[in-house]
Amino acid sequence: MIVFLLLEFADTRELQLLHFWLFLGIYLAALLGSGLITAVACDHCLHTPMYFFLLNLSLLDLGTISTTVPKSMANSLWNTRAISHPGCAAQVFLLVFLMSAELYLLIVMAYDRYVAICKPLHYGTLLGSRACVHMAAAAWSSGFLHAALHTANTFSLPLCKGNAVDQFFCEIPQILKLSCSDAYLREVGVLVFSACLAFGCFVFIVLSYVQIFRAVIPSEQGWHKAFSTCLPHLAVVSLFVSTGMIAYLKPPSISSPTLDLVVAVLYSVVPPAMNPLIYSMRNREIKDALRKIITGCFQKQ
């Protein structure tokens, strides 16, 4: 069975352990943040489309960071680099699945904010319970199909340039470098198409916000509402899309192990860890619900 070798963060035992503890802190913070956001979104007082989509986003973030970070931590702790072929394929599939589904969900959330601010009288009609479930299911299903296509394309290629993946997790561009066949251009084409699709999604989100801000220009209170509800979402989208496109579309001439590593951390670790913080900082209802949960826990003790 083929065994891939992942990139080490450091070549000394002390730095490997430092990487383990650093990633452990980030992972625990992400687990805590996503867990609290999930608990808040499940609060019966907050059963609205926005919090339903936020619950889905938290689950996707939790899955994304759990796909890459624990394996990297285990490798540093046990001083190994190995990952099995099925494990590598699973990482590729899950990462593409979760990140694609998250992008589509961010589009749905932009539409939710657009309807809430620009067409408040039609909000209940356009975003009823059934419509929200269908849109969330479409995001998850599209991500699944997207991941199946990329994983099948990538792992159908013959590999003859070793088994060392120059990344701390299995990433499609790094696996393509191991291919010895021109067939890898097929997957490159699919990646470029996917990147164009992601950019189109980003443009759709930006246009949604243009419409939102145009609608609230006459009202100072409307500006405040728009910024408080849309700024967290815009920050999440910008961080997610920009780092992902840099990782997959940067020219080979500027590629280096250090740059690849930094960019990979920025798009696979930072957004899932930061999303709960970004949303909770700008949302008073989430703050109040979190305060209620924490107070209740201390009162029980």
Side-chain angles (χ1 to χ4, degrees):
M1 180 181 293
I2 299 176
V3 175
F4 291 99
L5 299 178
L6 299 177
L7 181 68
E8 290 181 310
F9 269 83
D11 54 2
T12 64
R13 189 60 184 153
E14 292 76 12
L15 291 178
Q16 285 179 342
L17 292 176
L18 176 62
H19 158 248
F20 168 80
W21 289 112
L22 177 61
F23 263 36
L24 179 61
I26 294 174
Y27 186 59
L28 291 178
L31 288 179
L32 178 61
S34 295
L36 289 174
I37 294 296
T38 301
V40 168
C42 290
D43 189 329
H44 69 279
C45 297
L46 299 177
H47 281 181
T48 63
M50 184 178 73
Y51 292 103
F52 172 72
F53 296 135
L54 189 57
L55 170 62
N56 282 268
L57 183 66
S58 296
L59 295 175
L60 289 168
D61 284 334
L62 193 57
T64 300
I65 200 168
S66 296
T67 299
T68 58
V69 170
K71 178 59 180 176
S72 180
M73 289 165 48
N75 282 0
S76 291
L77 184 62
W78 302 114
N79 192 24
T80 182
R81 298 172 55 194
I83 183 172
S84 66
H85 187 276
C88 187
Q91 273 197 338
V92 168
F93 176 82
L94 288 173
L95 196 63
V96 176
F97 165 45
L98 294 166
M99 296 185 74
S100 299
E102 182 163 336
L103 177 60
Y104 301 138
L105 186 67
L106 290 172
I107 295 173
V108 172
M109 294 176 73
Y111 176 71
D112 169 68
R113 294 299 84 209
Y114 166 75
V115 175
I117 294 176
C118 298
K119 299 183 178 181
L121 297 179
H122 301 282
Y123 188 76
T125 304
L126 295 175
L127 285 155
S129 300
R130 181 173 296 181
C132 291
V133 171
H134 287 169
M135 285 188 283
W140 286 82
S141 301
S142 300
F144 182 89
L145 294 175
H146 198 184
L149 172 64
H150 279 292
T151 306
N153 257 340
T154 301
F155 287 91
S156 66
L157 299 173
L159 306 178
C160 65
K161 297 181 181 179
N163 62 342
V165 179
D166 291 332
Q167 194 53 269
F168 72 97
F169 60 90
C170 286
E171 184 185 44
I172 292 177
Q174 301 301 331
I175 296 174
L176 293 181
K177 290 180 181 180
L178 305 178
S179 173
C180 54
S181 168
D182 289 339
Y184 81 93
L185 293 174
R186 178 185 59 196
E187 174 58 18
V188 170
V190 175
L191 283 176
V192 172
F193 173 77
S194 299
C196 293
L197 181 62
F199 182 74
C201 295
F202 180 70
V203 170
F204 175 84
I205 292 171
V206 171
L207 290 177
S208 298
Y209 284 119
V210 169
Q211 294 298 319
I212 289 172
F213 292 132
R214 285 180 60 186
V216 300
I217 282 178
S219 168
E220 182 177 345
Q221 183 179 1
W223 266 101
H224 178 74
K225 180 182 178 182
F227 272 106
S228 64
T229 56
C230 298
L231 192 60
H233 182 239
L234 193 57
V236 170
V237 173
S238 300
L239 180 64
F240 178 74
V241 174
S242 60
T243 53
M245 291 191 70
I246 290 173
Y248 283 87
L249 293 183
K250 64 181 181 299
S253 58
I254 65 170
S255 181
S256 68
T258 302
L259 178 61
D260 292 344
L261 185 63
V262 171
V263 170
V265 171
L266 286 176
Y267 86 83
S268 67
V269 177
V270 174
M274 292 298 296
N275 283 354
L277 179 63
I278 290 172
Y279 274 97
S280 60
M281 282 177 58
R282 298 291 302 176
N283 193 305
R284 181 176 298 176
E285 290 177 331
I286 290 181
K287 289 180 182 178
D288 293 341
L290 286 175
R291 195 177 298 115
K292 188 187 302 182
I293 291 173
I294 295 172
T295 303
C297 291
F298 279 111
Q299 288 177 348
K300 290 179 180 179
Q301 292 178 357

